[in-house]
Amino acid sequence: MEFNIASIVRENIKSMSPYSSARHEYAGIAATFLDANENAFGSALGVNYNRYPDPTQLKLKAKISTIKNVPVENIFLGNGSDEAIDLLVRCFCEPGKDNIIVCPPTYGMYRVCADINNVEVRPVLLTTTFQLDLPAIENCITPFTRIIFICSPNNPTGNTIDRNDVKYLLNTFNVLVVVDEAYIDYSTEAGFINELSRYPNLVILQTMSKAWGLAGLRVGMAFANEAVINFLNKIKYPYNINTVSQQLILEALDNHEVVNEWIALTNNQKAWLSKKLSALPFVQTVYPSETNFLLVKARGARKIYTLLASRGIIVRDRSNVILCDDCLRITIGTAAENKQLIQTFKSYDA
Ligand SMILES: *Cc1c(COP(=O)(O)O)cnc(C)c1O
């Protein structure tokens, strides 16, 4: 399969001219900026945010480039990786005509973004071991399929998706294969970032929201072939990452050590929690997890959810999700939070 990006980008996106911001048009060094209708006097704050942020986010991208070992041209930054998901759908899927494939149970935003844009969603269930059903995917692909979304490690099942299955899709179909690696920092397996140069149709999503602990700043990353990145940049809001987020993420990227400590802590707590939960008589399965959460199958999951909530502990009730009957998704907390969780679980009368 020879990937042909021009054949899958929407015609209007190909032909349109992007918005050209004041900061785009003048890139030199100047002392006096009278081009963007900003307030020249300052901000209604002790700190000044009166200037628009860098629309190209070059400093931040340069640092991410070093850390991830990916050229700047292959990096897109979004207002959370959710923005990248939305832009991918809008860039490649013609409303009312094209479709995407998702593999439930999985992250809900792929479908939401498609629904908003009137793009057909063709779901292909994961197998009972939460792996890709390749023959079913193959059957489901149409000439109008533009994107296959794969989440690995998968939310809410916690497992990674078989690497060779993803490669098969990448090698076989003229579609974008998006691998959402929001939880890759917790995984013992390598992600796909080192495969970027091999697959022009591969898009990898990562985020600052989970292991880095920066969900409130809303910064996510997409890594892909330069042609794909250029189209995403063409249609994003010019100032999609605000000044504060750009500055703080730049700072945070120096603190990799504490992130690694948290990952180790999370994995220790996950093992402890998994052991304790497995010992409870009404818990049927604690699924293996390469993430910072556990999927737990328990008799009376909905009731347990309600009990926990009544004690002020909120977990995610997934019991109505396909292939997740009687399942709760539980984020790994601090040692104290996890102890409290187990105490409350123990008071449940199945
Ligand atoms: C949490 C999560 C995200 C969220 O990303 P943001 O960068 O916070 O928008 C994306 N994908 C999956 C699978 C997630 O679980």
Side-chain angles (χ1 to χ4, degrees):
M1 190 273 304
E2 191 73 53
F3 179 63
N4 179 356
I5 186 168
S7 72
I8 69 164
V9 179
R10 291 170 67 197
E11 282 304 323
N12 62 307
I13 303 286
K14 262 189 276 185
S15 59
M16 67 173 263
S17 306
Y19 176 71
S20 185
S21 69
R23 289 299 123 84
H24 262 126
E25 287 183 8
Y26 181 81
I29 299 164
T32 308
F33 286 101
L34 304 176
D35 59 344
N37 299 346
E38 297 150 339
N39 183 336
F41 301 97
S43 305
L45 278 174
V47 201
N48 278 348
Y49 294 114
N50 53 328
R51 300 300 176 183
Y52 280 102
D54 172 12
T56 61
Q57 303 126 2
L58 266 185
K59 260 187 166 170
L60 189 46
K61 280 184 193 165
K63 194 153 204 169
I64 291 171
S65 168
T66 315
I67 292 173
K68 302 283 180 183
N69 198 22
V70 172
V72 165
E73 308 79 61
N74 301 107
I75 303 173
F76 167 85
L77 299 182
N79 189 319
S81 39
D82 286 351
E83 183 188 8
I85 295 168
D86 179 54
L87 292 182
L88 284 163
V89 169
R90 285 198 278 151
C91 192
F92 294 97
C93 302
E94 192 63 37
K97 183 176 158 218
D98 294 335
N99 66 68
I100 66 163
I101 288 181
V102 300
C103 303
T106 193
Y107 188 50
M109 278 306 283
Y110 318 133
R111 167 178 281 283
V112 170
C113 290
D115 285 349
I116 290 170
N117 289 292
N118 189 28
V119 166
E120 183 195 356
V121 178
R122 296 175 71 87
V124 179
L125 283 195
L126 294 176
T127 64
T128 50
T129 54
F130 301 140
Q131 289 298 326
L132 298 180
D133 184 343
L134 285 184
I137 291 176
E138 201 145 4
N139 266 327
C140 196
I141 289 182
T142 78
F144 297 102
T145 301
R146 295 292 174 259
I147 307 174
I148 304 176
F149 282 99
I150 290 161
C151 188
S152 181
N154 187 39
N155 176 2
T157 60
N159 62 297
T160 50
I161 299 298
D162 193 325
R163 202 175 181 80
N164 288 327
D165 290 354
V166 177
K167 286 188 177 178
Y168 175 78
L169 295 175
L170 283 162
N171 282 323
T172 313
F173 302 105
N174 189 47
V175 303
L176 283 181
V177 177
V178 177
V179 183
D180 186 343
E181 296 185 346
Y183 299 97
I184 196 66
D185 299 308
Y186 297 102
S187 178
T188 51
E189 287 177 38
F192 268 83
I193 213 156
N194 294 329
E195 311 271 0
L196 214 50
S197 56
R198 223 166 281 157
Y199 299 105
N201 55 338
L202 169 64
V203 181
I204 296 154
L205 303 180
Q206 293 186 6
T207 180
M208 301 303 294
S209 298
K210 306 283 158 69
W212 287 85
L214 296 163
L217 294 183
R218 309 305 304 129
V219 174
M221 300 158 270
F223 305 100
N225 177 295
E226 190 173 351
V228 173
I229 297 298
N230 288 346
F231 277 116
L232 296 180
N233 281 328
K234 185 176 184 183
I235 68 170
K236 78 178 180 73
Y237 284 164
Y239 305 114
N240 61 330
I241 315 269
N242 69 65
T243 304
V244 180
S245 292
Q246 290 194 44
Q247 286 170 348
L248 293 184
I249 297 282
L250 203 55
E251 225 178 283
L253 289 171
D254 284 331
N255 300 328
H256 208 286
E257 275 161 41
V258 71
V259 176
N260 286 338
E261 284 166 28
W262 287 327
I263 292 168
L265 259 175
T266 302
N267 285 330
N268 284 340
Q269 284 297 309
K270 185 166 64 181
W272 182 84
L273 202 54
S274 175
K275 200 173 93 195
K276 293 286 177 188
L277 287 167
S278 301
L280 298 173
F282 46 89
V283 169
Q284 294 158 297
T285 314
V286 180
Y287 292 93
S289 168
E290 299 270 316
T291 68
N292 66 338
F293 59 81
L294 285 170
L295 187 71
V296 180
K297 192 196 251 323
R299 259 177 283 116
R302 179 71 210 175
K303 273 192 181 161
I304 298 172
Y305 171 84
T306 310
L307 170 79
L308 292 171
S310 75
R311 308 275 178 88
I313 303 173
I314 313 303
V315 299
R316 200 87 201 266
D317 179 12
R318 301 282 79 185
S319 57
N320 290 327
V321 170
I322 195 143
L323 294 181
C324 295
D325 310 350
D326 273 333
C327 282
L328 301 173
R329 193 195 70 191
I330 303 174
T331 305
I332 309 301
T334 62
E337 288 170 335
N338 299 333
K339 263 192 201 131
Q340 190 200 356
L341 176 85
I342 290 297
Q343 284 311 317
T344 313
F345 251 93
K346 280 183 175 162
S347 72
Y348 175 68
D349 195 4

